[in-house]
Amino acid sequence: MRAESTMLEYIEKFEKIIYAAIIVMLMVVLVAAMFDLVVLLVKFLWEESPLLLEAKEMIALLGAFLLVLIGVELLDTIKAYFKENTIHVEIVVLLAIIAVSRKVLLIDPTGMTAFDYGFELISIGVIIIGLSAGYYLIKKAGIVISPDGIKKAE
């Protein structure tokens, strides 16, 4: 019995190390994404068309902003698991909604047939409806997943 508990302690420590490494790497990625966003903003506002953004530039900037937002939310999710040993399902579903929204903003219909473009939009719509329904149900139920199992948040 003692060997099992010792092994479980080692596994938990190993998991903590992995999560800490993921947090550090994600922080590096977030700094790079922020730098890219600043460079993009400066380039569009002062070099391309001074103080006037065109539609493609605005879409690129919004995509970069959402990418940073996705990274911050992912960091928050990993941090919450690292601290509390629970997965906040609500944050994960919200992260998926933001990622799909980014995809909608960045979709480029050039080079697609009308059928392919329509099919992609319908598919994205179905995903958004499913994620929104899941988010609503999770919010209503207050579900949290922990190592002890699925339970209702207090």
Side-chain angles (χ1 to χ4, degrees), residues 4-20:
E4 289 176 14
S5 64
T6 305
M7 181 59 106
L8 289 176
E9 289 174 13
Y10 284 131
I11 291 172
E12 287 179 18
K13 287 179 184 178
F14 180 74
E15 282 180 345
K16 293 285 186 184
I17 292 169
I18 295 296
Y19 281 116

Side-chain angles (χ1 to χ4, degrees), residues 1-71:
M1 192 65 158
R2 176 71 185 139
E4 289 176 14
S5 64
T6 305
M7 181 59 106
L8 289 176
E9 289 174 13
Y10 284 131
I11 291 172
E12 287 179 18
K13 287 179 184 178
F14 180 74
E15 282 180 345
K16 293 285 186 184
I17 292 169
I18 295 296
Y19 281 116
I22 288 173
I23 287 173
V24 169
M25 289 186 281
L26 187 55
M27 288 169 47
V28 170
V29 169
L30 277 172
V31 168
M34 281 297 297
F35 180 75
D36 185 49
L37 178 61
V38 169
V39 168
L40 205 58
L41 187 62
V42 168
K43 176 184 167 195
F44 287 154
L45 284 180
W46 282 281
E47 294 176 7
E48 299 286 325
S49 53
L51 300 177
L52 181 65
L53 292 175
E54 296 177 11
K56 283 195 172 214
E57 294 170 343
M58 183 66 81
I59 289 171
L61 276 175
L62 287 175
F65 272 110
L66 286 175
L67 186 62
V68 171
L69 182 63
I70 289 168

Side-chain angles (χ1 to χ4, degrees), residues 47-97:
E47 294 176 7
E48 299 286 325
S49 53
L51 300 177
L52 181 65
L53 292 175
E54 296 177 11
K56 283 195 172 214
E57 294 170 343
M58 183 66 81
I59 289 171
L61 276 175
L62 287 175
F65 272 110
L66 286 175
L67 186 62
V68 171
L69 182 63
I70 289 168
V72 169
E73 289 294 327
L74 186 58
L75 183 65
D76 189 42
T77 302
I78 295 170
K79 183 179 71 173
Y81 185 78
F82 190 73
K83 286 170 51 177
E84 304 166 11
N85 235 13
T86 60
I87 297 172
H88 294 273
V89 181
E90 174 186 341
I91 296 173
V92 174
V93 174
L94 191 59
L95 184 63
I97 291 171

Side-chain angles (χ1 to χ4, degrees), residues 96-97 100 120-134:
I97 291 171
V100 172
E120 187 163 348
L121 286 180
I122 290 170
S123 301
I124 290 172
V126 168
I127 291 170
I128 289 174
I129 289 170
L131 286 171
S132 300

